[in-house]
Amino acid sequence: MAKISIFLTVLSLIPLLCTSFSPENPTDRRILVLLDDLALKSSHSIFFNSLQSRGFVLDFKLASDPKINLQRYGQYLYDALILFSPSIKQFGGSLDVAAVLDFVDSGHDLIVAADTSASDLIREIATECGVDFDEDSAAIVIDHTSYAVSESDGDHTLIASDYFIQSDAPVLFKGIGHTLNAANSLVLEVLSASPSAYSSNPESKLSSPPSLTGSAISLVSVVQGRNNARVLISGSLDLFSNRFFQSEVQKARSTTKYDKSGNEQFVTELSKWVFHERGHLKAVDVRHHKVGETAEPAMYRITDDIEYLVEIYEWSGSSWVPYVSDDVQIQFYMMSPYVLKNLSTDNKGLYSTSFKVPDVYGVFQFKIEYQRLGYTSLSLSKQIPVRPFRHNEYERFIPTAFPYYGASFSTVYGGILRFHDCVPVQQVDVGKLTLLRELEDTSTFPEKF
Ligand SMILES: *[C@@H]1O[C@H](CO)[C@@H](O)[C@H](O)[C@H]1NC(C)=O
């Protein structure tokens, strides 16, 4: 019997052990890379090698390959998609715009790189993600102040940008600009043009004012969906190329010459973010109980003092590390938050706070809605009923009611006095006021009577 129960205990522990030893790994593993031209495999090999060295399995295919399939038997075959196929007019196989969007909608990640040859298909995918490439298909971003000095570039379309980012050297960009869809608050610009840039066809004379100018032009943007899917959109495919990675860079009117552009650093950091090697949070071990206790009750009573705890970790690319921040808030919520408090952290991942349950009963929720730029959002909620006092749990004496207690006690006291007064009155003949008054002096009573 004892052996069996030990065996059962061990069995029941197995799932626990499994989950604690192999934490869910949020990093994408399998990436489908669609190319316009297989030569990109070598011209952009530094970027691809960096992904492979970080543990990703890349599946390269021509974008027109008739055997492209994102799914098989309703299951996605990939965790992420890289579209390095700006000019593709129609994907091969079963892939189309709707399939790409479904892939993202189901929480997968996407990198889209365009250039001057961007097809309607690629533009449409970008638009659906919240950015609009310049409609003029011949337009290219030109910057007469923030261009990179080079022999081949006379038209100032090779841009050296360090707007919006912190990198050691400027980032080289050659391609088309886009604007962010103002209605989409989930899009974030990560590399922008200088205020003097504009988007136009360098071949033609500038007859009408360009539609996109200055800092309104975004060069590279990212999107994080509400489902935590991440998308990177770049108007330049060269941004990821070996040539740009290894190029020296000198900004116009600057004497500083960098041996190496900021591209590799920029692209590496950005791709780490897109593929969830950065900024991915998880919350575990949510618990709550009365202050001083440890067991989680099935319900609370109004005005109970309670404690709420949760552990939050961030994925570092290889392991979960404590996430440290002071802006994680807990709501004790029923239609609206009755309690809103920042959680304090022990810097080891544990967040906690304590508060008094409000003097209102009903079904409440412990709620955390954590949305921070650059991080996956956390959305936790746990329902808990709050009951009123039971009839025998009310306080016997409430300090504010003391005048009333005083009043009722004085009434009782007065009644007792009256009652005592009555006793002798009943014993003597009623109506003889003289007698009654003399009653006070009882010692004389019998003789006088
Ligand atoms: C509390 O959290 C809010 C929102 O998350 C944040 O803006 C604020 O700075 C935090 N307050 C403190 C004192 O940390």
Side-chain angles (χ1 to χ4, degrees):
M1 210 44 201
K3 257 186 199 158
I4 291 174
S5 68
I6 288 172
F7 179 61
L8 286 180
T9 331
V10 170
L11 260 193
S12 65
L13 276 179
I14 287 172
L16 276 181
L17 294 178
C18 292
T19 48
S20 58
F21 285 127
S22 63
E24 153 216 9
N25 180 342
T27 311
D28 297 325
R29 290 286 135 206
R30 301 157 303 168
I31 304 178
L32 176 63
V33 186
L34 296 185
L35 308 169
D36 264 351
D37 181 345
L38 288 177
L40 285 166
K41 253 173 101 169
S42 50
S43 63
H44 291 56
S45 63
I46 301 178
F47 172 60
F48 294 135
N49 288 343
S50 135
L51 291 178
Q52 277 162 336
S53 71
R54 273 147 51 196
F56 296 102
V57 178
L58 305 185
D59 187 1
F60 294 96
K61 283 204 163 77
L62 272 178
S64 55
D65 188 328
K67 288 198 288 291
I68 298 174
N69 241 333
L70 278 183
Q71 304 192 41
R72 184 175 298 147
Y73 311 126
Q75 293 265 324
Y76 279 112
L77 300 168
Y78 305 98
D79 303 303
L81 178 60
I82 295 179
L83 295 180
F84 277 4
S85 52
S87 61
I88 188 77
K89 294 200 170 58
Q90 195 179 356
F91 293 118
S94 61
L95 195 65
D96 56 10
V97 175
V100 171
L101 298 176
D102 281 346
F103 183 68
V104 175
D105 279 344
S106 55
H108 299 91
D109 306 314
L110 172 67
I111 292 183
V112 184
D115 64 12
T116 37
S117 65
S119 66
D120 287 346
L121 177 67
I122 293 297
R123 288 167 186 272
E124 193 180 341
I125 292 174
T127 304
E128 292 293 338
C129 294
V131 315
D132 297 308
F133 283 117
D134 191 343
E135 279 167 16
D136 180 354
S137 57
I140 180 164
V141 184
I142 303 172
D143 194 331
H144 295 303
T145 61
S146 214
Y147 60 94
V149 179
S150 83
E151 290 110 50
S152 56
D153 180 50
D155 50 11
H156 303 164
T157 55
L158 178 62
I159 292 165
S161 173
D162 43 17
Y163 286 86
F164 265 46
I165 51 149
Q166 284 189 323
S167 71
D168 300 337
V171 173
L172 291 172
F173 180 99
K174 190 181 180 85
I176 58 176
H178 62 258
T179 51
L180 305 191
N181 183 335
N184 191 336
S185 60
L186 305 169
V187 193
L188 182 72
E189 185 173 16
V190 284
L191 189 70
S192 75
S194 83
S196 60
Y198 60 94
S199 176
S200 161
N201 181 353
E203 245 85 276
S204 71
K205 283 240 155 58
L206 204 57
S207 49
S208 57
S211 54
L212 294 182
T213 56
S215 325
I217 303 176
S218 179
L219 306 177
V220 179
S221 299
V222 293
V223 188
Q224 177 169 282
R226 289 185 216 284
N227 60 358
N228 290 328
R230 292 174 175 176
V231 179
L232 165 68
I233 295 164
S234 162
S236 166
L237 179 54
D238 290 337
L239 178 87
F240 301 87
S241 68
N242 295 0
R243 192 160 58 84
F244 277 22
F245 275 19
Q246 292 166 325
S247 167
E248 346 181 279
V249 49
Q250 183 180 0
K251 271 180 97 164
R253 277 177 280 278
S254 161
T255 47
T256 328
K257 189 166 190 171
Y258 301 89
D259 291 339
K260 193 170 178 295
S261 73
N263 287 45
E264 184 168 3
Q265 187 193 10
F266 176 70
V267 166
T268 305
E269 290 310 312
L270 215 51
S271 67
K272 281 184 178 171
W273 182 83
V274 174
F275 296 141
H276 290 263
E277 293 160 277
R278 290 270 183 282
H280 190 102
L281 301 179
K282 74 163 180 183
V284 290
D285 215 2
V286 181
R287 50 202 192 270
H288 55 86
H289 48 74
K290 281 208 223 176
V291 172
E293 295 181 6
T294 50
E296 183 176 316
M299 64 166 67
Y300 287 111
R301 196 196 61 192
I302 56 173
T303 73
D304 268 348
D305 288 304
I306 59 175
E307 206 169 6
Y308 177 91
L309 304 102
V310 59
E311 287 170 34
I312 303 179
Y313 297 97
E314 182 183 357
W315 182 249
S316 73
S318 55
S319 64
W320 291 101
V321 296
Y323 175 66
V324 179
S325 173
D326 58 7
D327 62 355
V328 185
Q329 288 186 321
I330 172 82
Q331 302 177 29
F332 199 58
Y333 185 96
M334 180 171 68
M335 316 276 249
S336 61
Y338 278 77
V339 174
L340 179 65
K341 274 192 98 172
N342 287 39
L343 296 172
S344 41
T345 173
D346 68 349
N347 296 338
K348 293 185 192 119
L350 180 67
Y351 287 77
S352 63
T353 191
S354 55
F355 57 88
K356 200 182 247 326
V357 174
D359 198 354
V360 178
Y361 58 88
V363 178
F364 277 83
Q365 276 178 326
F366 290 105
K367 245 173 120 160
I368 290 185
E369 292 291 341
Y370 187 62
Q371 269 147 3
R372 185 162 161 185
L373 215 56
Y375 287 89
T376 49
S377 54
L378 289 178
S379 178
L380 309 174
S381 76
K382 209 168 182 184
Q383 201 153 297
I384 185 93
V386 170
R387 64 170 174 81
F389 285 113
R390 289 208 190 90
H391 73 280
N392 59 355
E393 282 176 337
Y394 286 102
E395 298 288 333
R396 293 288 148 143
F397 298 104
I398 309 168
T400 48
F402 268 107
Y404 300 98
Y405 302 144
S408 56
F409 279 114
S410 66
T411 313
V412 171
Y413 184 62
I416 293 169
L417 277 186
R418 285 266 307 275
F419 181 70
H420 281 296
D421 282 351
C422 287
V423 179
V425 173
Q426 277 170 340
Q427 284 178 348
V428 296
D429 287 339
V430 183
K432 301 194 173 169
L433 281 170
T434 43
L435 256 181
L436 271 177
R437 201 173 292 140
E438 281 178 14
L439 266 180
E440 259 131 53
D441 187 6
T442 42
S443 55
T444 58
F445 170 56
E447 287 88 5
K448 276 212 172 161
F449 194 71

